[in-house]
Amino acid sequence: MSKNDVSGFHEKEFKELLRKGIGSRTQQEFATKTGIAPATISRMLNDNGIPCPRIKTLETFAANMVNVSLSELLTACGYQAPDIKDIVIKIESNIDDFFQFKADELDIYGNIEELKNKLLKFLDKDDLKLTIKDRKYTEADQTAGFQQVWPSGAEDSKIFELTWEYDHYVCKTSFSVYYIETMKGNMILVGSDIAYILHDSDEYVQNTLVKEKKKCTQEARLLHAIFGTENDKTLPETYAGYGFYLDGIPDGFVDFLNKHADTFCYTKENMKLYCRVMNGEPAEEVFAEYWDCNESCMGVCAVISDIMSLETGKGYLYYEPDEKLSKEAQNSCIMERFPYDIVDRIEKEQLKYIYQCARELKIQKFGVVYYHTTIQEETEQLYNLDSFYLC
């Protein structure tokens, strides 16, 4: 990624994006969140003739903003926003570097989890929100045109599926890892086939399936609607966070939207939606296809969570009823989820803000809330002690 001529830096546009991304947070709060000095943030916002921010700084900003993308910041600063294909090539090259077999020494791991953890640590410098799953190669993979390229000396293999995010894309990189299992159960790593083209599909960039976040979410909803949950193996789970429960559209929504119009109407599209509601159209119809800033939920409640996120800089999300649960167990809420779902004391300013929103929306209870949901049961790695075969 290269920098354009200095004349390509649009200072005014950058300042507007920075203010928009900070939202109602103070400069001190945003500086603490990003690890960038408050004085630097202040100069960027208030001084004239500021130097163009570095790419790393813009990446840090984007990672802590819910309504401004990295692409927008890069473009405003005169950088050539990278094509997702270039990012895929870089990531796959880094993966290949990790798996390069060392001829002069054995690459030994205690188990597959140790290997995955070391790969995660190796790739962590790219800040990709990366996760790794492993599984066996099946006939279904072969039928789908997913090939394997076995290196000499390998005795067994696992498919690694790396899911990662960049800008407004969700990507999954799939390839095979090859190894020898010792008598003591350790793994001698032989290598991988990440450097080969393994997927016979136009949807892939090299070995990476690339999709926009919004499209990915829409497809998940469609599959859920088509196939239902009858054959799913799910387990109950609970999320905890600060916010309030919802039961349909809050009675005070229109008044809430009107009071926070300055926050919500930051695009021409949002302004049009706002005007339609103020002119008497049903909010449920107007916002039926409205997606929140994170492209994770839609509808009226997504509007509420967007406004709360934009004004505080926190990650408020709408959690809709999980249809895999019984009607009695289902609930919905808007909340900022606790890290690891461990309840902590709410900050005074955050409590005051949630109280004000609940009051305007006419929601009676607010504070610590618990969302009931489910997780998919992992059955591919459950083994029988006697036979060591999958159960």
Side-chain angles (χ1 to χ4, degrees), residues 24-25 66 241-244 292-297 301-319 333-338 346-355 357 366-367 369:
S24 64
R25 288 175 289 185
V66 297
Y242 302 126
F244 38 73
D292 70 349
C293 290
N294 296 287
E295 298 179 341
S296 62
C297 59
C301 296
V303 175
I304 300 172
S305 66
D306 257 7
I307 289 172
M308 295 177 68
S309 294
L310 293 170
E311 291 183 341
T312 64
K314 297 183 180 293
Y316 286 101
L317 290 176
Y318 168 53
Y319 295 85
C333 61
I334 288 176
M335 68 175 179
E336 182 197 20
R337 187 179 174 186
F338 294 123
I346 189 169
E347 296 176 0
K348 184 176 180 181
E349 289 303 313
Q350 187 175 15
L351 180 62
K352 287 171 59 178
Y353 179 76
I354 296 174
Y355 159 74
C357 290
F366 61 94
V369 295

Side-chain angles (χ1 to χ4, degrees), residues 76-241:
C77 290
Y79 293 101
Q80 179 66 45
D83 188 276
I84 187 61
K85 293 182 180 179
D86 296 328
I87 301 300
V88 168
I89 292 170
K90 175 188 174 185
I91 299 307
E92 293 195 14
S93 177
N94 289 344
I95 295 170
D96 189 36
D97 288 345
F98 176 87
F99 283 105
Q100 284 298 325
F101 182 67
K102 306 178 188 68
D104 57 341
E105 59 182 273
L106 295 177
D107 216 353
I108 301 177
Y109 296 88
N111 52 47
I112 200 77
E113 291 303 317
E114 182 183 342
L115 174 57
K116 289 196 297 185
N117 289 335
K118 287 196 174 182
L119 177 57
L120 276 174
K121 187 175 181 180
F122 182 82
L123 297 173
D124 187 52
K125 60 182 180 294
D126 291 312
D127 191 25
L128 299 170
K129 298 181 180 177
L130 190 146
T131 59
I132 303 178
K133 290 185 178 181
D134 68 274
R135 62 179 179 82
K136 280 293 187 182
Y137 185 79
T138 66
E139 290 185 7
D141 292 313
Q142 189 171 8
T143 302
F146 180 8
Q147 304 301 316
Q148 289 189 307
V149 181
W150 282 72
S152 176
E155 296 179 353
D156 207 343
S157 72
K158 282 274 192 179
I159 290 179
F160 270 23
E161 295 179 331
L162 282 65
T163 302
W164 48 277
E165 297 180 14
Y166 182 82
D167 205 9
H168 57 278
Y169 294 100
V170 176
C171 307
K172 184 169 74 172
T173 305
S174 304
F175 59 96
S176 293
V177 174
Y178 301 93
Y179 58 92
I180 300 170
E181 190 169 333
T182 69
M183 294 292 290
K184 293 184 178 181
N186 293 328
M187 294 174 54
I188 301 176
L189 182 63
V190 177
S192 79
D193 53 15
I194 185 66
Y196 297 89
I197 301 300
L198 309 171
H199 299 268
D200 185 19
S201 171
D202 294 335
E203 292 184 294
Y204 282 80
V205 176
Q206 297 197 153
N207 294 311
T208 300
L209 182 64
V210 178
K211 292 189 177 182
E212 293 188 10
K213 288 182 181 179
K214 179 181 287 189
K215 185 177 179 181
C216 193
T217 306
Q218 290 172 330
E219 288 179 354
R221 289 173 178 271
L222 180 60
L223 288 173
H224 182 274
I226 293 173
F227 296 109
T229 60
E230 187 174 327
N231 297 320
D232 288 349
K233 292 185 178 180
T234 58
L235 299 173
E237 186 173 27
T238 300
Y239 298 165

Side-chain angles (χ1 to χ4, degrees), residues 1-27:
M1 182 163 43
S2 60
K3 186 178 176 183
N4 294 340
D5 185 82
V6 70
S7 62
F9 175 38
H10 303 287
E11 184 176 335
K12 180 180 179 182
E13 183 180 345
F14 167 71
K15 290 176 183 289
E16 290 174 352
L17 288 172
L18 182 56
R19 288 193 181 92
K20 177 180 172 183
I22 293 174
S24 64
R25 288 175 289 185
T26 64
Q27 292 179 28

